[in-house]
Amino acid sequence: MENESCNLDVMFPKVERRKRLPTPIEKEKGVSLWSIIKDNIGKDLTRVCLPVYFNEPLSSLQKCFEDLEYSYLLDQAYEHGNKGNSLMRILNVAAFAISAYASSDSRPCKPFNPLLGETYEAEFPEKGIRFLSEKISHHPMLIACHCEGRGWKLWCESNLKSKFWGRSIKLDPVGLLTLEFDDGEIFQWSKVTTSIYNLILGKVYCDHHGTMIIKGNQDYSCTLRFKEQSILDRNPRQVCGFVQDVNRTKIATLLGKWDQSIYYVPGHHDISWNFPDKNKDAVLLWRKSKPPANPTRYNLLSFAITLNELTSELQEKLPPTDSRRRPDQRHLENGEYEKANAEKLRLEQRQRMSRKLQDNGWKPRWFERNGEDGPFRYIGGYWEAREERKWETCPDIFGELSKDTYVSSLK
């Protein structure tokens, strides 16, 4: 399977991207997380304002794109389907759904909460994909995404319901991911629960747990169980599951770890948690990329290090709403912590206008709801506007604007 992904690489051009973050300009100051959040136990942490020191230099919009690091699995799924191998198609889709969690390992900081109307684009010709996300609602915090690949499209809207319990945070995802291939086959699934532990003492770590059901509209569906980690668990981060046909016959078994690799074996097997190591018939579907040569305190993988890169050529093309233009995030990446914190406070003060904007009939620029209660879908036009540099309808959400000017610019 690894050779197959390499063969796909030759179809796409090579693009040079950065391999490290800038060297910090200032020395970072230590801040007590407990002193800030101790009065918010049991509350929704999306409403708690934290200093910039607890952020990583990425926004939640960019984190959505980070889930597509292993998009080659969808390219392989497309090819398998074209060859009539529907089983290998859904196996690759399942591996892709699991791979989205690999980047969360040892990430101690939280992404920036986007401003209402903030966007993020990603054009990665070396992967054959382009991506667009937009924050479409402030409360509840809702993000819409759309990605186009070779022979497939993926879209979703995401929201997180969070609760803080003193030493841990529980994040329950709300939203549905839809993957559509050009031949009409569609798969849909929702993410599992994420818990973050040791916020006060010890090493911060996260665990993903729950059941993920990938529903297909043709031959197969897949059920995956993310095993919840216990205190005495010596083999954490396990994922197991099976593929079944329309008659509910289990025809393939999957097992592995969301932070390492995923295997499959044809047929239904009783699960042993050491299954891949002891079964000679186990076939590798996916393996996590190697760590970068230049690690940072944020523990970003090589792919994540590229997401906030802003070249002079790209700067000329981006709209004023793109996350890479956000000043507090840019200052944080550069290690200008005092400037970053000041800008974050300024933007959060501006963001308090968002509820009134929504009450006054705020509408997203690039997405709209499909039907009365349907999901938000990309309406088109972004890449055409980018080509012509026509961003007149995009507000300067990061600039120094008065309230009246800001509201009028959004009409």
mmCIF file of all heavy atoms in Angstrom, residues 115-136:
data_model
loop_
_atom_site.group_PDB
_atom_site.id
_atom_site.type_symbol
_atom_site.label_atom_id
_atom_site.label_comp_id
_atom_site.label_asym_id
_atom_site.label_seq_id
_atom_site.Cartn_x
_atom_site.Cartn_y
_atom_site.Cartn_z
ATOM 1 N N LEU A 115 -12.298 34.283 13.870
ATOM 2 C CA LEU A 115 -13.276 35.347 13.928
ATOM 3 C C LEU A 115 -14.410 35.034 12.957
ATOM 4 O O LEU A 115 -14.210 34.301 11.971
ATOM 5 C CB LEU A 115 -12.639 36.691 13.565
ATOM 6 C CG LEU A 115 -11.927 37.462 14.687
ATOM 7 C CD1 LEU A 115 -10.719 36.696 15.202
ATOM 8 C CD2 LEU A 115 -11.517 38.847 14.210
ATOM 9 N N LEU A 116 -15.568 35.586 13.225
ATOM 10 C CA LEU A 116 -16.695 35.401 12.315
ATOM 11 C C LEU A 116 -16.318 35.935 10.931
ATOM 12 O O LEU A 116 -15.853 37.069 10.795
ATOM 13 C CB LEU A 116 -17.924 36.143 12.842
ATOM 14 C CG LEU A 116 -19.225 35.943 12.058
ATOM 15 C CD1 LEU A 116 -19.669 34.486 12.113
ATOM 16 C CD2 LEU A 116 -20.320 36.855 12.601
ATOM 17 N N GLY A 117 -16.476 35.102 9.910
ATOM 18 C CA GLY A 117 -16.104 35.486 8.557
ATOM 19 C C GLY A 117 -14.679 35.156 8.175
ATOM 20 O O GLY A 117 -14.285 35.330 7.018
ATOM 21 N N GLU A 118 -13.878 34.679 9.124
ATOM 22 C CA GLU A 118 -12.502 34.297 8.820
ATOM 23 C C GLU A 118 -12.498 33.081 7.901
ATOM 24 O O GLU A 118 -13.346 32.183 8.014
ATOM 25 C CB GLU A 118 -11.746 33.992 10.112
ATOM 26 C CG GLU A 118 -10.256 33.745 9.922
ATOM 27 C CD GLU A 118 -9.509 33.632 11.239
ATOM 28 O OE1 GLU A 118 -9.988 34.186 12.259
ATOM 29 O OE2 GLU A 118 -8.445 32.983 11.259
ATOM 30 N N THR A 119 -11.538 33.037 6.988
ATOM 31 C CA THR A 119 -11.435 31.950 6.022
ATOM 32 C C THR A 119 -10.023 31.387 6.009
ATOM 33 O O THR A 119 -9.085 31.991 6.538
ATOM 34 C CB THR A 119 -11.782 32.427 4.597
ATOM 35 O OG1 THR A 119 -10.830 33.429 4.187
ATOM 36 C CG2 THR A 119 -13.187 33.000 4.531
ATOM 37 N N TYR A 120 -9.885 30.230 5.381
ATOM 38 C CA TYR A 120 -8.560 29.671 5.128
ATOM 39 C C TYR A 120 -8.623 28.863 3.844
ATOM 40 O O TYR A 120 -9.515 28.020 3.658
ATOM 41 C CB TYR A 120 -8.101 28.764 6.267
ATOM 42 C CG TYR A 120 -6.758 28.109 5.986
ATOM 43 C CD1 TYR A 120 -5.594 28.852 5.987
ATOM 44 C CD2 TYR A 120 -6.671 26.750 5.704
ATOM 45 C CE1 TYR A 120 -4.363 28.274 5.719
ATOM 46 C CE2 TYR A 120 -5.443 26.158 5.440
ATOM 47 C CZ TYR A 120 -4.287 26.922 5.452
ATOM 48 O OH TYR A 120 -3.079 26.335 5.179
ATOM 49 N N GLU A 121 -7.703 29.158 2.955
ATOM 50 C CA GLU A 121 -7.597 28.392 1.716
ATOM 51 C C GLU A 121 -6.316 27.585 1.733
ATOM 52 O O GLU A 121 -5.331 27.968 2.366
ATOM 53 C CB GLU A 121 -7.588 29.318 0.507
ATOM 54 C CG GLU A 121 -6.297 30.125 0.396
ATOM 55 C CD GLU A 121 -6.019 30.646 -1.004
ATOM 56 O OE1 GLU A 121 -6.835 31.439 -1.512
ATOM 57 O OE2 GLU A 121 -4.963 30.274 -1.571
ATOM 58 N N ALA A 122 -6.320 26.468 1.046
ATOM 59 C CA ALA A 122 -5.107 25.662 0.884
ATOM 60 C C ALA A 122 -5.120 25.085 -0.521
ATOM 61 O O ALA A 122 -6.025 24.322 -0.878
ATOM 62 C CB ALA A 122 -5.048 24.553 1.920
ATOM 63 N N GLU A 123 -4.143 25.480 -1.292
ATOM 64 C CA GLU A 123 -3.975 24.927 -2.633
ATOM 65 C C GLU A 123 -2.680 24.127 -2.633
ATOM 66 O O GLU A 123 -1.592 24.697 -2.558
ATOM 67 C CB GLU A 123 -3.941 26.040 -3.685
ATOM 68 C CG GLU A 123 -3.969 25.506 -5.101
ATOM 69 C CD GLU A 123 -4.100 26.610 -6.131
ATOM 70 O OE1 GLU A 123 -3.600 27.723 -5.884
ATOM 71 O OE2 GLU A 123 -4.697 26.361 -7.193
ATOM 72 N N PHE A 124 -2.817 22.802 -2.678
ATOM 73 C CA PHE A 124 -1.668 21.907 -2.612
ATOM 74 C C PHE A 124 -1.608 21.068 -3.891
ATOM 75 O O PHE A 124 -2.069 19.931 -3.932
ATOM 76 C CB PHE A 124 -1.783 20.999 -1.387
ATOM 77 C CG PHE A 124 -1.209 21.587 -0.129
ATOM 78 C CD1 PHE A 124 -1.666 22.788 0.358
ATOM 79 C CD2 PHE A 124 -0.186 20.949 0.558
ATOM 80 C CE1 PHE A 124 -1.151 23.343 1.521
ATOM 81 C CE2 PHE A 124 0.347 21.495 1.724
ATOM 82 C CZ PHE A 124 -0.136 22.696 2.196
ATOM 83 N N PRO A 125 -1.053 21.632 -4.970
ATOM 84 C CA PRO A 125 -0.982 20.867 -6.223
ATOM 85 C C PRO A 125 -0.174 19.586 -6.083
ATOM 86 O O PRO A 125 -0.398 18.624 -6.826
ATOM 87 C CB PRO A 125 -0.325 21.851 -7.198
ATOM 88 C CG PRO A 125 0.355 22.865 -6.330
ATOM 89 C CD PRO A 125 -0.479 22.974 -5.099
ATOM 90 N N GLU A 126 0.778 19.558 -5.133
ATOM 91 C CA GLU A 126 1.559 18.332 -4.926
ATOM 92 C C GLU A 126 0.717 17.211 -4.350
ATOM 93 O O GLU A 126 1.115 16.040 -4.397
ATOM 94 C CB GLU A 126 2.764 18.606 -4.030
ATOM 95 C CG GLU A 126 2.437 18.940 -2.584
ATOM 96 C CD GLU A 126 2.242 20.413 -2.316
ATOM 97 O OE1 GLU A 126 1.671 21.106 -3.189
ATOM 98 O OE2 GLU A 126 2.652 20.882 -1.234
ATOM 99 N N LYS A 127 -0.450 17.537 -3.813
ATOM 100 C CA LYS A 127 -1.398 16.526 -3.346
ATOM 101 C C LYS A 127 -2.610 16.419 -4.264
ATOM 102 O O LYS A 127 -3.474 15.555 -4.057
ATOM 103 C CB LYS A 127 -1.873 16.865 -1.927
ATOM 104 C CG LYS A 127 -0.839 16.637 -0.833
ATOM 105 C CD LYS A 127 -1.414 17.023 0.524
ATOM 106 C CE LYS A 127 -0.506 16.581 1.658
ATOM 107 N NZ LYS A 127 -0.528 15.109 1.853
ATOM 108 N N GLY A 128 -2.706 17.320 -5.222
ATOM 109 C CA GLY A 128 -3.852 17.317 -6.129
ATOM 110 C C GLY A 128 -5.130 17.778 -5.468
ATOM 111 O O GLY A 128 -6.219 17.382 -5.885
ATOM 112 N N ILE A 129 -5.032 18.630 -4.439
ATOM 113 C CA ILE A 129 -6.223 19.067 -3.718
ATOM 114 C C ILE A 129 -6.205 20.579 -3.512
ATOM 115 O O ILE A 129 -5.154 21.216 -3.514
ATOM 116 C CB ILE A 129 -6.355 18.396 -2.332
ATOM 117 C CG1 ILE A 129 -5.138 18.689 -1.446
ATOM 118 C CG2 ILE A 129 -6.566 16.900 -2.481
ATOM 119 C CD1 ILE A 129 -5.242 18.117 -0.047
ATOM 120 N N ARG A 130 -7.408 21.130 -3.355
ATOM 121 C CA ARG A 130 -7.559 22.501 -2.891
ATOM 122 C C ARG A 130 -8.736 22.550 -1.919
ATOM 123 O O ARG A 130 -9.720 21.811 -2.087
ATOM 124 C CB ARG A 130 -7.729 23.486 -4.039
ATOM 125 C CG ARG A 130 -8.961 23.306 -4.897
ATOM 126 C CD ARG A 130 -8.927 24.333 -6.033
ATOM 127 N NE ARG A 130 -10.152 24.308 -6.809
ATOM 128 C CZ ARG A 130 -10.398 25.087 -7.859
ATOM 129 N NH1 ARG A 130 -9.466 25.951 -8.255
ATOM 130 N NH2 ARG A 130 -11.539 25.011 -8.507
ATOM 131 N N PHE A 131 -8.615 23.450 -0.954
ATOM 132 C CA PHE A 131 -9.475 23.400 0.221
ATOM 133 C C PHE A 131 -9.886 24.812 0.613
ATOM 134 O O PHE A 131 -9.121 25.766 0.462
ATOM 135 C CB PHE A 131 -8.688 22.739 1.359
ATOM 136 C CG PHE A 131 -9.313 22.832 2.728
ATOM 137 C CD1 PHE A 131 -10.143 21.816 3.200
ATOM 138 C CD2 PHE A 131 -9.051 23.917 3.558
ATOM 139 C CE1 PHE A 131 -10.691 21.889 4.470
ATOM 140 C CE2 PHE A 131 -9.592 23.994 4.834
ATOM 141 C CZ PHE A 131 -10.425 22.979 5.288
ATOM 142 N N LEU A 132 -11.106 24.948 1.132
ATOM 143 C CA LEU A 132 -11.584 26.230 1.631
ATOM 144 C C LEU A 132 -12.418 25.993 2.876
ATOM 145 O O LEU A 132 -13.265 25.091 2.910
ATOM 146 C CB LEU A 132 -12.430 26.953 0.580
ATOM 147 C CG LEU A 132 -13.042 28.294 1.015
ATOM 148 C CD1 LEU A 132 -11.941 29.325 1.266
ATOM 149 C CD2 LEU A 132 -14.028 28.804 -0.020
ATOM 150 N N SER A 133 -12.170 26.804 3.922
ATOM 151 C CA SER A 133 -12.981 26.749 5.131
ATOM 152 C C SER A 133 -13.354 28.163 5.542
ATOM 153 O O SER A 133 -12.639 29.118 5.234
ATOM 154 C CB SER A 133 -12.244 26.029 6.264
ATOM 155 O OG SER A 133 -11.005 26.662 6.540
ATOM 156 N N GLU A 134 -14.480 28.295 6.245
ATOM 157 C CA GLU A 134 -14.967 29.594 6.677
ATOM 158 C C GLU A 134 -15.697 29.434 8.006
ATOM 159 O O GLU A 134 -16.460 28.473 8.182
ATOM 160 C CB GLU A 134 -15.912 30.194 5.635
ATOM 161 C CG GLU A 134 -16.490 31.549 6.029
ATOM 162 C CD GLU A 134 -17.435 32.132 4.978
ATOM 163 O OE1 GLU A 134 -17.712 31.435 3.973
ATOM 164 O OE2 GLU A 134 -17.898 33.272 5.162
ATOM 165 N N LYS A 135 -15.470 30.369 8.919
ATOM 166 C CA LYS A 135 -16.258 30.381 10.148
ATOM 167 C C LYS A 135 -17.591 31.034 9.829
ATOM 168 O O LYS A 135 -17.653 32.223 9.507
ATOM 169 C CB LYS A 135 -15.547 31.132 11.264
ATOM 170 C CG LYS A 135 -16.349 31.115 12.566
ATOM 171 C CD LYS A 135 -15.596 31.741 13.714
ATOM 172 C CE LYS A 135 -16.436 31.749 14.981
ATOM 173 N NZ LYS A 135 -15.729 32.336 16.137
ATOM 174 N N ILE A 136 -18.663 30.278 9.945
ATOM 175 C CA ILE A 136 -19.969 30.747 9.487
ATOM 176 C C ILE A 136 -20.901 31.125 10.627
ATOM 177 O O ILE A 136 -21.955 31.708 10.395
ATOM 178 C CB ILE A 136 -20.645 29.667 8.602
ATOM 179 C CG1 ILE A 136 -20.756 28.346 9.365
ATOM 180 C CG2 ILE A 136 -19.871 29.480 7.308
ATOM 181 C CD1 ILE A 136 -21.460 27.254 8.583
#
